[in-house]
Amino acid sequence: MHTTGTGGGGSPVTLRPPRHRVDPRARRWWAVQALLTFSGPLLLTAAILLTLSALLFPGALPWLAPLVAVVLVVPALGYQLAMPAWRYRIHAWEVGETAVYTANGWFWQRSRIAPLSRVQTVDTTVGPLQRHYGLATVVVTTASTAGAVKIAGLAADDARRMAEHVGQAVRYVREDAA
């Protein structure tokens, strides 16, 4: 993923992807999230529709089964299989000397560069599923209308170290600016 802009002299500037990937366990975490929030409900709906049709309206099965497969089953399985791997390829992060740089998303991809001089807080959050997989999310809140920079899917120890590193870097940048 490269974003192109213009440098000070009008020459094109290419932004390289951030250096660090999220933890590989994030793929399983995202897969379970998908199963609970999207794929699972679609597959359950398909099973209920087909079961009720078989019990109450068996004549509808020849046209209902392919319709359910196309509308519910294929999208559910496609999302379940494609999203975690695709999302893993995109999610990356880096903390430089002056900024936090992230890339995330899967269908809509987003790159963010947050200057350390604008950082207000650094938080680490861990939900129940993340805890199960040993993962955490670092949330870097800045003085920006774009909102916080979130780096989800980090190993819990890496998230703690990153939050400490950003906190130290922010202090250094502010002391250097003063």
Side-chain angles (χ1 to χ4, degrees), residues 10-44:
S11 60
V13 175
T14 301
L15 186 62
R16 65 164 173 73
R19 294 177 199 252
H20 307 288
R21 292 219 176 266
V22 297
D23 192 279
R25 293 174 290 185
R27 289 179 289 208
R28 288 184 295 220
W29 171 52
W30 288 322
V32 170
Q33 278 185 316
L35 190 60
L36 293 173
T37 61
F38 184 78
S39 299
L42 285 181
L43 293 171
L44 181 62

Side-chain angles (χ1 to χ4, degrees), residues 22-175:
V22 297
D23 192 279
R25 293 174 290 185
R27 289 179 289 208
R28 288 184 295 220
W29 171 52
W30 288 322
V32 170
Q33 278 185 316
L35 190 60
L36 293 173
T37 61
F38 184 78
S39 299
L42 285 181
L43 293 171
L44 181 62
T45 301
I48 291 170
L49 279 172
L50 293 174
T51 301
L52 288 175
S53 178
L55 293 173
L56 303 173
F57 308 105
L61 277 177
W63 63 267
L64 184 61
L67 180 65
V68 166
V70 169
V71 173
L72 297 174
V73 175
V74 170
L77 294 177
Y79 184 80
Q80 187 68 38
L81 297 173
M83 182 276 296
W86 190 349
R87 199 170 172 186
Y88 179 75
R89 280 198 320 265
I90 303 302
H91 277 61
W93 61 276
E94 184 173 338
V95 179
E97 291 181 21
T98 60
V100 175
Y101 174 29
T102 64
N104 58 36
W106 79 280
F107 197 69
W108 287 274
Q109 298 171 10
R110 180 178 184 177
S111 295
R112 294 264 321 263
I113 299 173
L116 291 174
S117 61
R118 308 260 334 225
V119 171
Q120 294 177 334
T121 62
V122 182
D123 300 305
T124 303
T125 62
V126 181
L129 277 177
Q130 284 182 308
R131 187 174 299 111
H132 175 75
Y133 289 104
L135 301 171
T137 298
V138 173
V139 181
V140 180
T141 306
T142 64
S144 167
T145 57
V149 174
K150 294 181 183 179
I151 305 164
L154 296 173
D157 288 341
D158 291 344
R160 182 187 48 74
R161 283 192 295 273
M162 182 199 175
E164 289 172 0
H165 177 74
V166 170
Q168 290 170 354
V170 166
R171 281 191 293 278
Y172 176 76
V173 166
R174 289 188 180 146
E175 288 171 3

